[in-house]
Amino acid sequence: MTFDTLCVHGQDHKYPEASRSITVPIYQTAAFSHLELGHNEHGFDYTRISNPTRQRLEETVTALEGAAQTLAVSSGMAAISAAFELFAPGDQVICSADLYGGTTLLFRQVEEKNGIHLRFVDTTDLEAVRQAVEPNTKAIYVESPSNPMMNVTDIRGCAAIAKAAGALLIVDNTFLSPYLQNPIALGADLVIHSGTKFLAGHNDTISGFVCCKDDEVAERLRVIVKCTGAALSPFDCFLTLRGIKTLPVRMERQQQTAMAIAKWLTQQPKVKKVYYTGLPEHPGYALNASQARGAGAMLSFDMGSQEQAIHVLKHLKIATFAESLGGPETLVTHPVMQTHRDVDPKELASLGITGAMLRMSVGLEGAEDLIEDLRQAMEDA
Ligand SMILES: Cc1ncc(COP(=O)(O)O)c(C=O)c1O
């Protein structure tokens, strides 16, 4: 079955409801009745543990990522936290130095407190990853492309290093979505999604996923999600399922517009640098093309100074100054003051993330309107 059909119908799920409802109903219930003791044919007890709307969503995302099983949880952060519950005090996790700021905060404030040793390395350099491996290394954690620098990590290369070390490779695939990249096919063991972003795709819900390559890890994660109460609510499952139906068409159009904007930005004298993996001059261009089916709809650019960047933010009329990504509305973020505000400024500087930088999630508005909006916002900057 094609990816597009899976997005619309899920795997083998054409109208399984008794009512033949076209859409998956929202099973807004806390509990399910039992016929008699020991007989629970439908397999549902209590919504924190499992729910038919959630099950349908999990099966759909499993099919899209080519996973064995998927867990749908309350946010992308809940997904990362659940995955880290697989580790014990004293374990080491090697991770990309350049990650979503919330992930870095979780690692520094929670996981390190829990006794997990985080080793931040430049994962675009496979030799640096190899050198960081220790006998207690239990996982390698990467984002590709990364947030907000759009650095591309060799997922196959990291998978080989993880395998040799007996460790898991965990890939946050939020920026490209399963439409453009399938890390499990490249050797990853776990795939993380902030479902809030391209999967749900409408800037109207928060959700997260952990997709697992094998059933054994998935079953351990089911116990963790059940015990910590992190599962996604039926209504948010419904919204995410609804969003997924249009994932391919949204991604195609958003990516096309992102390319047009990236090219236009490279021609603007006030723009010092453009970070978009679809541009041949991007250092990760060839690698991204070898492991993904496109460059996606996320880009960053450098306005030369923080003042210029703030000027642009202030004068945008269509693109909105806001923090999320992946929806129909184009959003522009100032990483230093928003997504990465909790990261040590010295660390940010060492990664090249400066106050002059803006990150753009390209939405579904007309490309000409967005370019005209940027042009007028850059006037007098
Ligand atoms: C790459 C990436 N991973 C994870 C997250 C966290 O997702 P959520 O906000 O759904 O918890 C984000 C949020 O922006 C993100 O950009």
Side-chain angles (χ1 to χ4, degrees):
M1 211 184 276
T2 63
F3 189 94
D4 296 30
T5 306
L6 285 173
C7 285
V8 177
H9 293 292
Q11 189 112 48
D12 307 324
H13 277 316
K14 221 165 172 219
Y15 322 131
E17 305 298 326
S19 65
R20 296 184 64 75
S21 162
I22 298 288
T23 58
V24 177
I26 305 168
Y27 283 88
Q28 193 62 43
T29 179
F32 300 84
S33 71
H34 303 296
L35 281 174
E36 56 183 284
L37 200 62
H39 286 273
N40 177 13
E41 284 79 6
H42 54 58
F44 299 103
D45 292 308
Y46 187 56
T47 281
R48 171 161 53 76
I49 300 163
S50 60
N51 174 286
T53 317
R54 191 185 307 128
Q55 187 181 63
R56 291 282 293 279
L57 172 62
E58 290 181 342
E59 287 170 0
T60 299
V61 176
T62 293
L64 301 186
E65 276 297 9
Q69 286 189 47
T70 294
L71 289 103
V73 291
S74 59
S75 67
M77 295 315 298
I80 303 167
S81 310
F84 267 67
E85 290 296 331
L86 294 169
F87 310 123
D91 289 348
Q92 190 213 46
V93 177
I94 299 168
C95 58
S96 303
D98 175 23
L99 291 171
Y100 164 57
T103 306
T104 307
L105 185 68
L106 170 78
F107 289 174
R108 293 253 186 249
Q109 301 282 318
V110 181
E111 302 306 341
E112 283 182 347
K113 176 194 67 107
N114 290 345
I116 312 294
H117 298 287
L118 271 309
R119 178 81 189 273
F120 290 84
V121 302
D122 174 5
T123 54
T124 64
D125 176 357
L126 283 185
E127 198 39 47
V129 178
R130 209 169 280 121
Q131 303 246 328
V133 172
E134 302 281 353
N136 60 341
T137 301
K138 290 293 180 326
I140 301 174
Y141 185 98
V142 304
E143 279 178 24
S144 186
S146 67
N147 183 357
M149 297 301 282
M150 310 296 153
N151 289 326
V152 181
T153 287
D154 181 344
I155 297 176
R156 290 188 187 93
C158 282
I161 297 170
K163 200 166 179 207
L168 300 174
L169 174 63
I170 309 175
V171 178
D172 183 331
N173 201 27
T174 299
F175 268 29
L176 288 183
S177 89
Y179 180 66
L180 293 176
Q181 180 167 269
N182 293 121
I184 289 176
L186 301 168
D189 299 283
L190 294 179
V191 177
I192 301 289
H193 279 286
S194 167
T196 315
K197 311 296 166 25
F198 291 100
L199 282 167
H202 289 75
N203 284 329
D204 59 7
T205 186
I206 302 279
S207 62
F209 298 97
V210 193
C211 310
C212 311
K213 182 186 189 166
D214 73 60
D215 288 318
E216 190 266 328
V217 177
E219 291 309 332
R220 282 166 64 200
L221 280 165
R222 284 214 181 273
V223 175
I224 289 161
V225 170
K226 167 175 150 174
C227 298
T228 55
L232 191 61
S233 79
F235 183 59
D236 293 304
C237 290
F238 168 82
L239 285 176
T240 308
L241 265 171
R242 187 184 61 163
I244 287 173
K245 286 175 199 264
T246 55
L247 174 67
V249 282
R250 285 187 285 104
M251 280 310 296
E252 283 294 343
R253 175 57 73 86
Q254 284 170 258
Q255 172 170 254
Q256 195 184 325
T257 308
M259 179 57 100
I261 292 174
K263 282 187 181 155
W264 180 84
L265 285 169
T266 59
Q267 289 153 12
Q268 306 312 304
K270 286 178 183 163
V271 176
K272 302 301 169 223
K273 197 160 180 191
V274 182
Y275 303 83
Y276 182 58
T277 58
L279 295 174
E281 59 267 33
H282 187 283
Y285 173 81
L287 179 57
N288 190 68
S290 76
Q291 61 188 15
R293 293 176 289 279
M298 297 300 298
L299 58 90
S300 299
F301 55 100
D302 189 317
M303 284 304 301
S305 73
Q306 175 148 315
E307 292 67 45
Q308 307 257 64
I310 292 172
H311 179 96
V312 171
L313 280 178
K314 214 166 157 178
H315 290 86
L316 286 169
K317 292 182 175 149
I318 296 173
T320 307
F321 174 27
E323 207 168 312
S324 197
L325 62 110
E329 299 85 7
T330 294
L331 304 184
V332 181
T333 307
H334 189 265
V336 165
M337 290 209 261
Q338 293 184 294
T339 52
H340 289 65
R341 65 178 161 262
D342 297 312
V343 180
D344 181 350
K346 276 199 222 114
E347 223 171 286
L348 288 180
S350 73
L351 298 169
I353 305 173
T354 71
M357 200 169 181
L358 294 175
R359 188 195 77 184
M360 190 169 201
S361 164
V362 178
L364 286 169
E365 303 92 337
E368 319 77 65
D369 295 332
L370 291 170
I371 289 173
E372 173 51 25
D373 194 25
L374 282 165
R375 193 202 57 72
Q376 64 79 32
M378 283 181 194
E379 246 170 22
D380 308 322

